[in-house]
């Protein structure tokens, strides 16, 4: 399957077009900023930072940005993967990044489904999930950057 991805028209286009890879890489970073920035702000609010800011209003403001960032990362990440599928598929850092993304996604779904509304003060479970979210998404970003060097 990996060989098929690398031999695809998409992979050839990426390899033959000088700007595709750097644009996709830049988009991936911008997506990470939107995703981790948005989620991070809400997580920090649930952990007690910015008590003067309404958590429900903050959630309404940052959730669309975080979702847009995630969509940008999926699209740009697919382009980046297609360009170097064999190396990435064999990278323990890349696999670890995917595991952290899955865990962070599961945490986000559990957080959304596990509460009727965002009420403050945050419960202990909400604070634990917020702290876990911060740790997981920061880990995703760190692993993503390390992939380029190892």
């Amino acid at each position: 399957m990996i060989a098929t991805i690398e031999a695809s028209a998409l992979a050839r286009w990426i390899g033959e077009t000088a700007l595709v890879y750097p644009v996709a890489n830049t988009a991936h970073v911008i997506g990470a900023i939107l995703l981790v920035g948005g989620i991070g702000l809400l997580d920090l609010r649930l952990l007690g930072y910015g008590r003067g800011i309404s958590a429900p209003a903050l959630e309404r403001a940052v959730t669309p940005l975080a979702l847009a960032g995630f969509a940008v990362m999926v699209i740009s990440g697919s382009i980046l993967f297609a360009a170097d599928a064999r190396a990435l598929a064999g990278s323990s850092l890349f696999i670890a990044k995917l595991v952290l993304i899955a865990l962070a996604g599961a945490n986000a779904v559990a957080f959304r489904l596990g509460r009727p509304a965002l009420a403050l003060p945050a419960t202990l479970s909400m604070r634990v999930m917020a702290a876990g979210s911060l740790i997981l998404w920061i880990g995703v970003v760190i692993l993503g950057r390390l992939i380029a060097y190892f």
Side-chain angles (χ1 to χ4, degrees):
M1 178 170 166
I2 299 301
T4 303
I5 293 170
E6 282 192 339
S8 70
L10 174 63
R12 283 193 308 278
W13 176 67
I14 295 165
E16 294 169 359
T17 310
L19 286 178
V20 173
Y21 193 89
V23 168
N25 201 10
T26 302
H28 206 64
V29 171
I30 292 168
I33 291 166
L34 290 171
L35 173 65
V36 179
I39 290 175
L41 287 173
L42 185 58
D43 290 338
L44 289 170
R45 176 61 191 96
L46 293 173
L47 292 170
Y49 180 78
R51 287 189 167 91
I53 301 168
S54 161
L58 181 61
E59 181 181 35
R60 285 190 304 276
V62 300
T63 297
L65 294 174
L67 292 173
F70 185 73
V72 167
M73 290 187 77
V74 168
I75 293 165
S76 59
S78 297
I79 291 169
L80 297 172
F81 182 79
D84 203 15
R86 188 176 322 275
L88 290 172
S91 166
S92 59
L93 291 171
F94 180 73
I95 302 302
K97 177 183 172 182
L98 294 181
V99 168
L100 290 187
I101 291 168
L103 291 171
N107 183 59
V109 169
F111 181 81
R112 294 268 178 204
L113 297 178
R115 63 178 172 80
L118 187 58
L120 293 178
T123 64
L124 176 61
S125 65
M126 289 170 67
R127 291 192 309 270
V128 167
M129 292 176 99
S133 173
L134 275 174
I135 291 166
L136 289 168
W137 286 117
I138 290 170
V140 167
V141 170
I142 291 169
L143 288 174
R145 298 313 319 142
L146 289 176
I147 289 167
Y149 301 102
F150 296 101

